[in-house]
Amino acid sequence: RKEVEQDPGPFNVPEGATVAFNCTYSNSASQSFFWYRQDCRKEPKLLMSVYSSGNEDGRFTAQLNRASQYISLLIRDSKLSDSATYLCVVNKGRDDKIIFGKGTRLHILP
Amino acid sequence: GAVVSQHPSWVICKSGTSVKIECRSLDFQATTMFWYRQFPKQSLMLMATSNEGSKATYEQGVEKDKFLINHASLTLSTLTVTSAHPEDSSFYICSARELAVTDTQYFGPGTRLTVL
C-alpha cells in the first residue's frame, strides 16, 4: 500500500456543484494531516489542516477518519477558481517528514 | 501567513555547471527547511531535511555530494546542484517550518531548473 494515495482524477465538475475527494494513508502513527492546493507550475499552498474533530473553512470541509485511515476534502458551491490540483499531505509518524500524495486534479467547468 | 522566498525563480544552464538555489524565510525563523523536487505531473519528492547549524539529512537515493545543502542561519538554506545534467532538470521547491510553533510547512515559489 502506498504511503499516501489519492485518486489522480481529473474530476470535471460544473460550477456550483459539490465535489469531494478522499485520501488514504498507510502509517497509523501519522499525526498531522493537511490539504494543499497547487496550481499549474506553482508551489503548493496550504489550504487547510485536518483535525480529528473535522475542520470547516467557508466552502471547504476537511474530515479525518483514523479508524479507516483516510482524510477527505469537500468543496461546496465550487467556483472556476477552485480548478487546481489538491494534494493530500500526511506527516510520517514521529519524525518531521511529511509525505505528499500525487494530487487530485479538479477542473471546474463553466 | 509566513513567507518563504526562493532565488532564482528559474535558471537555464549548460551540462556540467553548478547551480545554487537560495531559500529564505522572510518574516519568521525556521529551524528546519526542506528541499523537494517535482517532475512534471508527479508529486513532490522530499530530497533532504536541513536543520540550522547541522548537516542535512538526505532521503534514500539522493546523492549528498551532488546536491549540497547548507543551512547557515535560521532564515537561509541553500541547495547547490553540482555538475548538473539534463536529468536534473526539474522544479525545486523549498519549504520552511516556523520555529517551535507548528508543523505546518510554508513553501517557496520554486525554482525551475533546465539543464541543456
Side-chain angles (χ1 to χ4, degrees), chain A residues 31-32 34 36 38 40-46 49 87 91-92 96-103 105, chain B residues 32 34 36 38 42-44 46 49 51 57 59 91 93 97 103-110 112:
Chain A
Q31 299 172 6
S32 304
F34 308 90
Y36 278 76
Q38 186 175 26
C40 188
R41 302 173 76 88
K42 298 284 188 181
E43 78 279 16
K45 291 189 186 295
L46 178 65
S49 303
L87 304 171
N91 100 318
K92 199 176 174 183
D96 294 331
K97 298 169 191 174
I98 64 172
I99 304 296
F100 283 81
K102 289 193 173 182
R105 283 187 295 140
Chain B
T32 305
F34 303 86
Y36 295 86
Q38 186 176 34
Q42 299 291 317
S43 64
L44 278 77
L46 179 65
T49 302
N51 290 298
T57 303
E59 293 301 297
F91 191 44
I93 308 176
R97 188 171 62 202
D103 54 5
T104 301
Q105 294 186 17
Y106 298 95
F107 286 85
R112 193 161 299 280

Side-chain angles (χ1 to χ4, degrees), chain B residues 4-76:
Chain B
V4 176
S5 71
Q6 262 183 261
H7 178 79
S9 55
W10 60 270
V11 57
I12 301 172
C13 68
K14 292 182 179 179
S15 186
T17 59
S18 294
V19 175
K20 180 189 277 190
I21 303 170
E22 291 186 350
C23 176
R24 293 180 186 273
S25 55
L26 298 185
D27 52 359
F28 67 99
Q29 293 183 320
T31 49
T32 305
M33 290 184 170
F34 303 86
W35 287 97
Y36 295 86
R37 180 167 55 182
Q38 186 176 34
F39 292 107
K41 299 187 179 181
Q42 299 291 317
S43 64
L44 278 77
M45 296 300 296
L46 179 65
M47 299 176 66
T49 302
S50 165
N51 290 298
E52 185 265 337
S54 62
K55 290 183 179 180
T57 303
Y58 290 81
E59 293 301 297
Q60 192 173 11
V62 178
E63 300 174 57
K64 61 181 181 182
D65 294 330
K66 180 170 181 63
F67 299 99
L68 302 178
I69 291 172
N70 184 280
H71 191 161
S73 77
L74 285 172
T75 59
L76 174 63

